[in-house]
Amino acid sequence: MRLIRAELLKLTTTRLWWVMLAVTIAYALLQLGITIGFAGVTGGQPGAPAIPGRDTAPFQELMWGLGASGAVFPMILGVVMMTAEYRYQTITSTFLTTPRRERVVAGKLGAGVVVGLVFGLVVLALTAVAVVITVPLAGGELSFTGSTARIVVGTLAVLMLYTLFGIGIGALIRNQLGAIVAAVAWVFVIEAIVSAIPALRPVGRWTPGGAATALTNSGVDLGLGTDWLLPAWAGGVVLLGYALVFAAVASATTLRRDIT
Amino acid sequence: MSAIEIRDLGKSFGAVRAVDGVSFTVEPGTITGYLGPNGAGKTTTLRCLLGLVTADSGTALVNDRRYVELPHPLTEVGAVLEATNFHPGRTALNHLRVICAAAGLPPERAAEALEQVGLGEVAGKRVMTFSLGMRQRLALATALVGHPRVFILDEPANGLDPAGIQWLRGFLRHLAHERGAAVLVSSHVLAEVEQIVDNVVIIAKGRLVRQGSLAELVSNGDTAIRVRAADPGELVPALERAGATVVQSDGVLRVTGLDAERIGRIALDERVVLTEVSQERSDLQHVFLELTGEGETS
């Protein structure tokens, strides 16, 4: 427990955490704004609008599900939690203070859970404010269904687990820039490709991104379809599996290595 | 019980045998200098001792336990290592607060330790604004937070100005001789530590070449007497007949095997005027360089 506190103190005594939080908030506001702005717009095309109208229930679910896509920011913070130790060689005093390295890794993973949770709650709070203001203004009725609850919990889980992925990537790559580039490339390039190209979707649904989408999917089709995804529960299990794999990677790469 | 006990320690990095069968102990209340040229294996030995590097063979114990087995390591051992660094964006005080939090020490120790090393006034400054000397002091403060009784310092004088080195010497003396701490301090410059160490351990190419008290090491060097004479040509044969070894260069005689009084009497008998008789201080650095094999090339 005190190691989780020490890890959180490491984060809050440097600047990056609030920069990342600010970026996360800005990104969430942008997404909420775009979704609100284009809600119910058909663009002159016949048929249903791409984004359901602001007075509908699907619109609300879609809004709630937006937060998970900002997971890359706490993930970067997770990467830095690990790589900064090697970059600035603070790993030496960290291990001198806590020579049982598995405790250091556990402390970092615990702190990563807290970070993901805090980021998730901030994003969900913004979403709540946006929904509560927008929907009644459009004449809709606020609803919070079982599937909304699933999306909310899913969003928290996705942000938490992505932070842990970040820690694992940081432990594996250790070079700060390299690790961040790898994490961002994974989220924005590789996962984007395997979820956009139909032939690759059998692979794509098993990626962390695919599993995260399954967990927070509102059923609204934004152009990529949703039928290729795993069921929500399976998405959760797959994500948890990745988190365990990354935790194992973080441990295996950190425990034995000589610190010279 | 020795505070530090290293027995048959061995460590290779690939094909390089960094430490090869090193054994020595450090007792409470003493300062031991761990000396050797750069690359001799000093840092590797200390890092094995601190559990940062896994030894291939042998044991390295602090207070009879391996470092990783110490329940509260910072309360037993304070370490200052060369490649220890700080997050540049974190303040000195916050750096120590993090350490205290992780070690379960009371948070006030952070400010106290900064005062102890004379950094109290810059506690709230980011480490990026610190000079190398201030960073060394901060590293020392990190070693002090837990009130340990064993100190392990790797080249602590690096980056310190002469006043800082003077301060460090006084501080280490105080820790060992007044507070009874065991201090192990490494250096590649004997002169940096020769004034304060009680014992020396000399290592070269991963192997121990000499260990003992400073006094023992000094007495092993040959002590010579410098002599200048008005007419050395008369004096040298007389000195040699008396059993001395004389090396002559630039009009200076370097005499070994006789003491100053005997040389004076022989000069009197030979009616040679002496213009200088002085005891040549045993050059410890010379001994050190010879022992570590660095003197051969110069």
Side-chain angles (χ1 to χ4, degrees), chain B residues 85-110:
Chain B
N85 221 317
F86 309 99
H87 193 294
R90 199 173 281 139
T91 66
L93 185 63
N94 279 335
H95 164 74
L96 290 179
R97 282 177 62 216
V98 167
I99 303 273
C100 287
L105 294 167
E108 354 17 305
R109 280 299 301 147

Side-chain angles (χ1 to χ4, degrees), chain A residues 61-149:
Chain A
E61 288 200 1
L62 180 62
M63 289 281 277
W64 284 110
L66 291 174
S69 62
V72 70
F73 303 115
M75 184 191 195
I76 290 174
L77 206 50
V79 167
V80 173
M81 283 173 71
M82 219 25 149
T83 54
E85 296 263 19
Y86 290 100
R87 180 171 178 200
Y88 300 116
Q89 295 172 321
T90 49
I91 194 74
T92 303
S93 46
T94 297
F95 285 159
L96 286 178
T97 310
T98 314
R100 308 230 168 131
R101 299 184 186 181
E102 65 279 5
R103 293 187 189 171
V104 173
V105 173
K108 283 193 188 293
L109 293 174
V113 168
V114 174
V115 166
L117 211 56
V118 167
F119 275 61
L121 289 173
V122 168
V123 167
L124 289 172
L126 288 175
T127 310
V129 170
V131 168
V132 166
I133 293 173
T134 322
V135 174
L137 274 180
E141 208 166 299
L142 290 172
S143 67
F144 197 89
T145 61
S147 107
T148 317

Side-chain angles (χ1 to χ4, degrees), chain B residues 32-277:
Chain B
T32 297
Y34 191 33
L35 306 169
N38 285 325
K42 303 187 297 293
T43 297
T44 303
T45 309
L46 300 186
R47 286 186 171 254
C48 286
L49 183 57
L50 293 166
L52 295 168
V53 168
T54 312
D56 300 333
S57 56
T59 51
L61 306 178
V62 186
N63 294 337
D64 274 349
R65 283 199 248 197
R66 297 196 308 133
Y67 189 88
V68 296
E69 290 163 354
L70 297 174
H72 302 288
L74 291 198
T75 63
E76 297 194 49
V77 184
V80 175
L81 293 182
E82 252 196 309
T84 306
N85 221 317
F86 309 99
H87 193 294
R90 199 173 281 139
T91 66
L93 185 63
N94 279 335
H95 164 74
L96 290 179
R97 282 177 62 216
V98 167
I99 303 273
C100 287
L105 294 167
E108 354 17 305
R109 280 299 301 147
E112 287 168 18
L114 282 178
E115 289 292 341
Q116 247 179 308
V117 299
L119 288 179
E121 284 180 14
V122 291
K125 290 249 163 64
R126 289 167 188 273
V127 176
M128 65 172 86
T129 65
F130 280 22
S131 68
L132 198 53
M134 288 162 85
R135 282 166 203 248
Q136 282 290 31
R137 283 176 190 248
L138 181 54
L140 197 59
T142 311
L144 288 168
V145 282
H147 287 307
R149 302 290 301 264
V150 177
F151 289 87
I152 296 165
L153 305 98
D154 194 10
E155 303 271 2
N158 272 4
L160 289 183
D161 53 21
I165 291 176
Q166 200 59 40
W167 170 84
L168 179 70
R169 284 182 184 141
F171 198 78
L172 295 182
R173 253 193 221 117
H174 164 75
L175 288 174
H177 300 154
E178 286 161 44
R179 287 181 35 197
V183 177
L184 175 60
V185 52
S186 83
S187 180
H188 66 287
V189 184
L190 177 65
E192 267 173 13
V193 295
E194 89 177 77
Q195 298 176 17
I196 58 163
V197 295
D198 305 299
N199 300 301
V200 280
V201 175
I202 298 180
I203 181 179
K205 299 187 182 98
R207 287 173 169 276
L208 216 63
V209 288
R210 183 72 62 85
Q211 64 174 315
S213 71
L214 193 64
E216 282 167 16
L217 187 74
V218 174
S219 66
N220 280 331
D222 53 350
T223 49
I225 294 177
R226 266 172 71 94
V227 176
R228 278 175 190 274
D231 185 4
E234 296 272 318
L235 185 59
V236 173
L239 290 174
E240 280 172 348
R241 279 197 300 277
T245 310
V246 182
V247 180
Q248 196 172 354
S249 66
D250 293 337
V252 178
L253 309 179
R254 205 165 162 275
V255 183
T256 47
L258 293 176
D259 61 14
E261 189 190 339
R262 282 279 288 150
I263 293 169
R265 288 188 180 284
I266 291 167
L268 182 63
D269 292 345
E270 300 294 324
R271 305 185 66 77
V272 174
V273 177
L274 295 181
T275 54
E276 179 188 344
V277 180

Side-chain angles (χ1 to χ4, degrees), chain A residues 45-260:
Chain A
Q45 311 274 318
I51 297 175
R54 286 190 284 271
D55 53 348
T56 64
F59 168 77
Q60 293 181 41
E61 288 200 1
L62 180 62
M63 289 281 277
W64 284 110
L66 291 174
S69 62
V72 70
F73 303 115
M75 184 191 195
I76 290 174
L77 206 50
V79 167
V80 173
M81 283 173 71
M82 219 25 149
T83 54
E85 296 263 19
Y86 290 100
R87 180 171 178 200
Y88 300 116
Q89 295 172 321
T90 49
I91 194 74
T92 303
S93 46
T94 297
F95 285 159
L96 286 178
T97 310
T98 314
R100 308 230 168 131
R101 299 184 186 181
E102 65 279 5
R103 293 187 189 171
V104 173
V105 173
K108 283 193 188 293
L109 293 174
V113 168
V114 174
V115 166
L117 211 56
V118 167
F119 275 61
L121 289 173
V122 168
V123 167
L124 289 172
L126 288 175
T127 310
V129 170
V131 168
V132 166
I133 293 173
T134 322
V135 174
L137 274 180
E141 208 166 299
L142 290 172
S143 67
F144 197 89
T145 61
S147 107
T148 317
R150 189 249 307 157
I151 292 171
V152 166
V153 172
T155 301
L156 286 177
V158 167
L159 267 75
M160 249 163 43
L161 297 174
Y162 265 70
T163 313
L164 302 190
F165 297 166
I167 292 172
I169 291 173
L172 190 63
I173 299 183
R174 281 192 299 160
N175 176 293
Q176 184 144 304
L177 190 62
I180 291 176
V181 168
V184 170
W186 174 259
V187 171
F188 286 117
V189 181
I190 297 175
E191 290 196 336
I193 290 173
V194 293
S195 59
I197 299 173
L200 293 177
R201 284 180 180 168
V203 180
R205 63 181 181 170
W206 294 102
T207 63
T213 313
L215 199 56
T216 58
N217 151 44
S218 60
V220 176
D221 184 355
L222 293 175
L224 292 178
T226 56
D227 52 339
W228 56 281
L229 295 166
L230 293 170
W233 67 267
V237 170
V238 167
L239 268 189
L240 199 61
Y242 275 110
L244 292 175
V245 167
F246 277 100
V249 166
S251 304
T253 52
T254 309
L255 296 188
R256 305 224 111 257
R257 189 182 277 138
D258 286 343
I259 308 296
T260 53

